[in-house]
Protein backbone atom coordinates (compact mmCIF):
# COMPACT_ATOMS: atom_id res chain seq x y z
CA UNK A 1 0.00 0.00 0.00
CA UNK A 2 1.09 3.54 -0.60
CA UNK A 3 0.04 7.14 -0.17
CA UNK A 4 0.25 9.78 -2.91
CA UNK A 5 0.28 13.56 -2.52
CA UNK A 6 -1.48 15.52 -5.31
CA UNK A 7 -2.37 19.13 -6.16
CA UNK A 8 -6.05 20.04 -6.36
CA UNK A 9 -8.41 22.82 -7.25
CA UNK A 10 -12.12 22.90 -6.39
CA UNK A 11 -14.49 22.70 -9.37
CA UNK A 12 -17.62 24.49 -8.15
CA UNK A 13 -19.61 23.49 -11.25
CA UNK A 14 -19.22 19.79 -10.44
CA UNK A 15 -18.76 20.23 -6.68
CA UNK A 16 -15.59 18.11 -6.89
CA UNK A 17 -11.86 18.37 -6.31
CA UNK A 18 -9.77 17.86 -9.43
CA UNK A 19 -6.12 17.93 -10.40
CA UNK A 20 -5.46 21.09 -12.45
CA UNK A 21 -4.88 20.37 -16.14
CA UNK A 22 -1.37 21.88 -15.99
CA UNK A 23 -0.50 19.40 -13.20
CA UNK A 24 -2.09 16.36 -14.83
CA UNK A 25 0.66 15.99 -17.42
CA UNK A 26 3.76 15.21 -15.35
CA UNK A 27 3.40 12.41 -12.79
CA UNK A 28 6.99 12.72 -11.58
CA UNK A 29 6.55 16.35 -10.53
CA UNK A 30 2.94 16.37 -9.36
CA UNK A 31 2.43 12.90 -7.86
CA UNK A 32 4.61 12.21 -4.83
CA UNK A 33 4.14 8.60 -3.72
CA UNK A 34 5.63 6.64 -0.84
CA UNK A 35 4.81 3.55 1.17
CA UNK A 36 2.30 3.93 3.99
CA UNK A 37 4.86 3.68 6.80
CA UNK A 38 7.07 6.39 5.34
CA UNK A 39 4.14 8.62 4.38
CA UNK A 40 2.71 8.38 7.90
CA UNK A 41 6.07 9.55 9.31
CA UNK A 42 6.04 12.48 6.86
CA UNK A 43 2.42 13.30 7.76
CA UNK A 44 3.28 13.18 11.46
CA UNK A 45 6.04 15.74 10.86
CA UNK A 46 3.45 17.90 9.09
CA UNK A 47 1.09 17.71 12.06
CA UNK A 48 -1.32 15.18 10.57
CA UNK A 49 -0.65 12.10 12.72
CA UNK A 50 -2.71 9.02 11.86
CA UNK A 51 -4.34 10.79 8.92
CA UNK A 52 -3.51 8.57 5.93
CA UNK A 53 -6.20 10.26 3.82
CA UNK A 54 -7.04 13.93 3.59
CA UNK A 55 -10.83 14.13 3.72
CA UNK A 56 -10.62 17.61 2.26
CA UNK A 57 -7.44 18.90 0.59
CA UNK A 58 -5.43 21.44 2.59
CA UNK A 59 -4.92 24.98 1.22
CA UNK A 60 -1.46 25.15 -0.37
CA UNK A 61 -0.34 28.14 1.72
CA UNK A 62 -1.22 26.33 4.97
CA UNK A 63 0.44 23.17 3.69
CA UNK A 64 3.63 25.04 2.77
CA UNK A 65 3.73 26.67 6.23
CA UNK A 66 3.58 23.21 7.81
CA UNK A 67 6.36 21.95 5.54
CA UNK A 68 8.54 24.96 6.34
CA UNK A 69 8.11 24.35 10.09
CA UNK A 70 8.84 20.63 9.66
CA UNK A 71 11.96 21.28 7.59
CA UNK A 72 13.24 23.84 10.09
CA UNK A 73 12.75 21.36 12.92
CA UNK A 74 15.01 18.91 11.08
CA UNK A 75 17.96 21.25 10.72
CA UNK A 76 20.89 19.42 12.36
CA UNK A 77 18.40 16.70 13.43
CA UNK A 78 17.80 14.44 10.41
CA UNK A 79 15.39 11.56 10.74
CA UNK A 80 17.20 8.42 11.89
CA UNK A 81 17.97 5.54 9.55
CA UNK A 82 15.72 2.50 9.83
CA UNK A 83 16.63 -1.13 9.30
CA UNK A 84 14.43 -3.40 7.23
CA UNK A 85 11.92 -5.20 9.43
CA UNK A 86 9.04 -7.67 9.26
CA UNK A 87 5.82 -7.19 11.17
CA UNK A 88 3.60 -10.22 11.61
CA UNK A 89 -0.12 -9.70 11.91
CA UNK A 90 -2.49 -11.71 14.06
CA UNK A 91 -4.10 -13.23 10.97
CA UNK A 92 -0.98 -14.74 9.39
CA UNK A 93 0.14 -11.96 7.10
CA UNK A 94 3.69 -10.61 7.23
CA UNK A 95 4.36 -6.98 6.33
CA UNK A 96 7.91 -6.20 5.25
CA UNK A 97 8.97 -2.61 5.85
CA UNK A 98 12.04 -1.62 3.89
CA UNK A 99 15.03 0.19 5.26
CA UNK A 100 15.52 3.90 4.82
CA UNK A 101 18.51 6.19 5.05
CA UNK A 102 19.17 8.90 7.59
CA UNK A 103 17.37 12.10 6.61
CA UNK A 104 14.74 10.35 4.50
CA UNK A 105 11.80 12.26 5.99
CA UNK A 106 13.45 15.63 5.33
CA UNK A 107 14.23 14.67 1.73
CA UNK A 108 10.61 13.71 1.14
CA UNK A 109 9.35 16.91 2.81
CA UNK A 110 11.59 18.91 0.49
CA UNK A 111 10.28 17.01 -2.53
CA UNK A 112 6.66 17.63 -1.50
CA UNK A 113 7.42 21.32 -0.89
CA UNK A 114 8.78 21.66 -4.43
CA UNK A 115 5.69 19.92 -5.80
CA UNK A 116 3.39 22.22 -3.83
CA UNK A 117 5.16 25.37 -5.05
CA UNK A 118 5.15 24.20 -8.67
CA UNK A 119 1.50 23.19 -8.32
CA UNK A 120 0.57 26.61 -6.97
CA UNK A 121 2.33 28.19 -9.97
CA UNK A 122 0.29 25.88 -12.24
CA UNK A 123 -3.02 26.95 -10.70
CA UNK A 124 -3.56 24.48 -7.85
CA UNK A 125 -5.00 25.83 -4.62
CA UNK A 126 -4.83 22.78 -2.34
CA UNK A 127 -2.80 19.64 -1.61
CA UNK A 128 -4.41 16.34 -0.71
CA UNK A 129 -3.27 12.79 -0.13
CA UNK A 130 -4.68 9.29 -0.16
Amino acid sequence: MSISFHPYVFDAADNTWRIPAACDTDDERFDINMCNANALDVLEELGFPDQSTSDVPVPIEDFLERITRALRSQIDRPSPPLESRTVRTGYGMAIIIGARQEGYVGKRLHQIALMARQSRDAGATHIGWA
Side-chain angles (χ1 to χ4, degrees):
M1 304 263 321
S2 65
I3 294 175
S4 289
F5 293 81
H6 295 282
Y8 290 99
V9 65
F10 188 70
D11 185 340
D14 293 335
N15 197 31
T16 58
W17 291 98
R18 64 175 176 77
I19 295 175
C23 299
D24 205 16
T25 59
D26 190 345
D27 285 346
E28 289 191 24
R29 279 187 17 208
F30 299 110
D31 176 3
I32 308 299
N33 182 277
M34 60 194 86
C35 79
N36 281 3
N38 290 336
L40 290 174
D41 287 345
V42 167
L43 287 166
E44 185 172 335
E45 285 293 317
L46 292 173
F48 299 109
D50 303 322
Q51 194 173 342
S52 61
T53 303
S54 59
D55 295 329
V56 176
V58 176
I60 281 183
E61 297 307 322
D62 295 346
F63 193 79
L64 284 169
E65 285 179 26
R66 286 173 179 262
I67 287 179
T68 300
R69 279 194 303 270
L71 286 169
R72 284 183 181 150
S73 75
Q74 295 209 352
I75 294 173
D76 295 328
R77 292 184 323 122
S79 59
L82 294 178
E83 297 292 325
S84 180
R85 60 200 184 279
T86 302
V87 178
R88 303 219 179 264
T89 66
Y91 47 90
M93 186 172 136
I95 300 170
I96 299 170
I97 301 171
R100 70 180 188 210
Q101 298 175 338
E102 178 181 63
Y104 173 86
V105 172
K107 288 176 187 175
R108 297 303 281 201
L109 286 167
H110 183 260
Q111 186 180 21
I112 295 168
L114 288 175
M115 180 270 289
R117 286 188 197 105
Q118 292 171 349
S119 298
R120 178 183 58 196
D121 294 344
T125 58
H126 291 71
I127 300 293
W129 58 91

